[in-house]
Amino acid sequence: MPFRPDLRWSDVTPEALFLNRRQIIAGAAAAMVATPALARNKWSVDQTPNTFEEITSYNNFYEFGWGKEDPVTYAGALTTDPWSIEIGGMVDKPGRYDLADVTKGQTIEERIYRFRCVEAWSMVVPWHGFELAGLLNRVGVQPGAKFVAFETLLRPEEMPGQRDSSFPWPYVEGLRLDEAMHPLTILATGLYDQPMPNQNGAPIRLVVPWKYGFKSIKSIVKITLTDKMPPTTWNILQPQEYGFYANVNPEVDHPRWSQASERPIGGGLFGGRVDTLMFNGYGEHVAALYTGQDLAADY
């Protein structure tokens, strides 16, 4: 059905299941990274999130296969504990940090964000996470750093999609430093009061809501500060179709389809399409990052 701003989360998810999930979280606290109480903030949109089932059963995570159902089908085998992230390059405190140390001292917030896939479908997702800037400030960004590079876990024995040798694994992505430091950019560790499901990028993933979804790299194991624009997987594969920036832009079409409109997941058979918003609706916050750039050339 179409999105309705008057609905509550308990209307989106059956109340018994909604409450049960909270009980599961309370009982599983020992298995989760200790975090402070969630805080809601000005960055959340005033839209009803998609259901937990929609968010976790319709998504791209090519490490598990090319079908939308492959991540939920195969991701259960992924081991996410223990987990660590190697942080290096132009930082003052390089090293390998376990997940508890990565999240230490960070304010975990509820961020209800619009999510727009380059394939022209969209969702609204209630992420839980913290600003990437908080982590980068902790490790100390050195003068001269201009970009942040990210890398996904490489583990073909648990991620069957990585057995496809024609794809340049591991998946890599990158942001310009000012994009990475923007308060909208978060590292997400959960959704709907649950730890991040494996199929959505457990245990920690990037979320950059004004960019197409493929920029929001999942299951991160490496972060590198650099003075050079880093390679990104889809730009390596098809540079004429996928640029480094990947800002949501209804005025710049993908070579094979229009980006002027999108199909909201959960809208039903007759839900129709809606107009795509520039920067996915976050233009008032991020447009200034691209002053003077030709966004048709820097696509």
Side-chain angles (χ1 to χ4, degrees):
M1 64 184 201
F3 294 133
R4 284 177 46 193
D6 58 314
L7 291 177
R8 300 167 299 170
W9 283 16
S10 55
D11 296 315
V12 179
T13 304
E15 183 177 7
L17 181 58
F18 181 84
L19 295 175
N20 186 52
R21 285 184 182 139
R22 291 185 178 275
Q23 293 169 354
I24 291 172
I25 292 303
M32 294 178 60
V33 177
T35 59
L38 291 172
R40 192 165 185 178
N41 59 86
K42 65 178 182 178
W43 303 110
S44 290
V45 299
D46 187 20
Q47 289 178 259
T48 301
N50 281 80
T51 66
F52 184 86
E53 181 180 3
E54 288 166 346
I55 296 167
T56 58
S57 64
Y58 189 93
N59 60 302
N60 294 321
F61 197 169
Y62 299 121
E63 283 78 356
F64 296 105
W66 294 96
K68 294 292 187 291
E69 72 287 349
D70 285 341
V72 70
T73 301
Y74 299 112
L78 180 64
T79 302
T80 60
D81 184 17
W83 194 272
S84 63
I85 299 178
E86 179 185 347
I87 304 177
M90 301 177 72
V91 296
D92 296 331
K93 301 175 182 177
R96 183 173 295 277
Y97 296 83
D98 64 35
L99 188 59
D101 202 17
V102 168
T103 60
K104 182 180 179 180
Q106 305 298 334
T107 300
I108 305 298
E109 297 180 331
E110 172 191 271
R111 296 281 182 104
I112 303 176
Y113 280 168
R114 287 181 287 267
F115 181 90
R116 172 60 153 82
C117 181
V118 73
E119 298 168 344
W121 55 266
S122 61
M123 289 184 175
V124 178
V125 183
W127 304 109
H128 297 160
F130 60 95
E131 294 178 10
L132 172 59
L135 176 62
L136 297 183
N137 286 332
R138 275 186 59 204
V139 298
V141 179
Q142 294 180 352
K146 297 178 181 179
F147 296 91
V148 185
F150 304 88
E151 186 174 306
T152 291
L153 176 72
L154 181 62
R155 193 179 289 165
E157 65 273 20
E158 295 183 355
M159 305 173 102
Q162 290 182 339
R163 299 167 198 166
D164 177 0
S165 60
S166 67
F167 199 87
W169 309 109
Y171 195 95
V172 292
E173 258 303 339
L175 297 173
R176 205 169 62 191
L177 182 60
D178 57 348
E179 298 174 323
M181 298 296 284
H182 194 280
L184 277 169
T185 303
I186 64 170
L187 290 174
T189 56
L191 60 87
Y192 260 119
D193 284 356
Q194 294 204 37
M196 186 67 68
N198 285 9
Q199 62 266 32
N200 292 90
I204 188 166
R205 62 170 290 170
L206 184 70
V207 178
V208 193
W210 71 93
K211 294 180 178 288
Y212 293 120
F214 68 86
K215 294 294 290 186
S216 294
I217 187 170
K218 305 175 180 76
S219 300
I220 297 170
V221 295
K222 189 174 183 179
I223 300 174
T224 306
L225 278 290
T226 175
D227 59 356
K228 297 178 177 62
M229 182 179 286
T232 61
T233 291
W234 283 107
N235 186 244
I236 293 169
L237 285 168
Q238 296 172 300
Q240 73 281 7
E241 296 188 355
Y242 304 101
F244 175 82
Y245 286 96
N247 292 317
V248 176
N249 189 343
E251 299 175 2
V252 177
D253 290 337
H254 186 281
R256 291 181 279 130
W257 57 80
S258 170
Q259 294 289 16
S261 66
E262 63 201 58
R263 176 176 60 92
I265 300 302
L269 182 62
F270 302 104
R273 300 177 73 86
V274 299
D275 291 341
T276 290
L277 302 174
M278 184 66 191
F279 295 114
N280 203 23
Y282 296 94
E284 65 177 305
H285 304 300
V286 302
L289 296 176
Y290 309 101
T291 300
Q293 287 187 244
D294 181 349
L295 297 182
D298 293 341
Y299 58 93

